[in-house]
Every structure is written in structure tokens, then in C-alpha cells.
Amino acid sequence: THVVTENCINCKHTDCVEVCPVDCFHEGPNFLVIDPDECIDCTLCVEECPVDAIFAEGDVPAGQEPYLALNAELAKSWPVIAVKIPAMPDAAEWDGKPDKLRLLVR
Ligand code: F3S
């Protein structure tokens, strides 16, 4: 599977959802996740993310391993998103900020 990681939080550009052939993205208030049961590892979304938040399961950056379980968990309760929406208002400001996990809204 592929995994959405920390840098998506408070950015949420949603370019990723437009290319997903299996509609496996789910939307929360300030973050998106990938349903690991639906993702077919096509890799199309990786290049689409303007803030490089999406990784293959085996390439998740050190320290961001918790996002594997988080994607699986939140995909179960958040609705599917398949059409791009505007990025979060301060997306540019939040790109690359550390320790965004504590800001995740469920
Ligand atoms: Fe997030 Fe990047 Fe998609 S910021 S919503 S993973 S395009």
C-alpha cells in the first residue's frame, strides 16, 4: 500500500485524489488517508502531491511509521474523496513544518 504522511496535515492539496484509479482516499478535517485495503500501488498519486506527503509502505520516512496504522484506522471512518477541492487556506505556510501530528483533527 501507499501511505499519506505528516506533511499533508494542514496542507491537504487533494491533487492526489484526482489520479487514484480505485478511489482509495478518505478525507478528514485537515488530512487525507489511503485505505490500505483498496490501494493497488499504482504510484500515480506520489508525484501529484505538491508537498511530497505520499510514500510507498516500505519508504515511509523514519519517525513516520505511525502513519501506517493511522491511514488504516482513519480510512474506516472518514468518507471517500475523489474530486479535488481547494487546499487548506494556510497550506503554503504549513509545508515542511515539523511535528504536525499533534495538529491532526479527527
Ligand atoms: Fe495531502 Fe498531498 Fe494529497 S497534501 S491531500 S497527500 S496531494
Side-chain angles (χ1 to χ4, degrees):
T1 188
H2 278 60
V3 185
V4 184
T5 62
E6 175 131 326
N7 209 24
C8 177
I9 295 173
N10 280 358
C11 291
K12 205 168 90 167
H13 285 279
T14 71
D15 300 80
C16 53
V17 309
E18 292 272 301
V19 296
C20 181
V22 294
D23 293 349
C24 72
F25 284 92
H26 294 247
E27 185 194 9
N30 66 346
F31 186 51
L32 253 58
V33 293
I34 290 173
D35 183 345
D37 295 332
E38 299 292 335
C39 176
I40 56 170
D41 284 328
C42 73
T43 76
L44 290 175
C45 60
V46 175
E47 288 300 311
E48 291 301 313
C49 178
V51 298
D52 298 325
I54 307 176
F55 294 89
E57 187 173 15
D59 291 335
V60 169
Q64 298 204 38
E65 296 84 1
Y67 284 90
L68 279 159
L70 212 47
N71 275 238
E73 178 200 337
L74 296 173
K76 291 193 203 308
S77 51
W78 285 353
V80 167
I81 174 170
V83 176
K84 181 174 165 57
I85 57 172
M88 299 205 66
D90 298 324
E93 224 170 279
W94 284 105
D95 179 15
K97 286 263 160 64
D99 301 325
K100 290 203 276 182
L101 183 54
R102 66 200 161 83
L103 304 170
L104 176 66
V105 181
R106 289 165 175 258

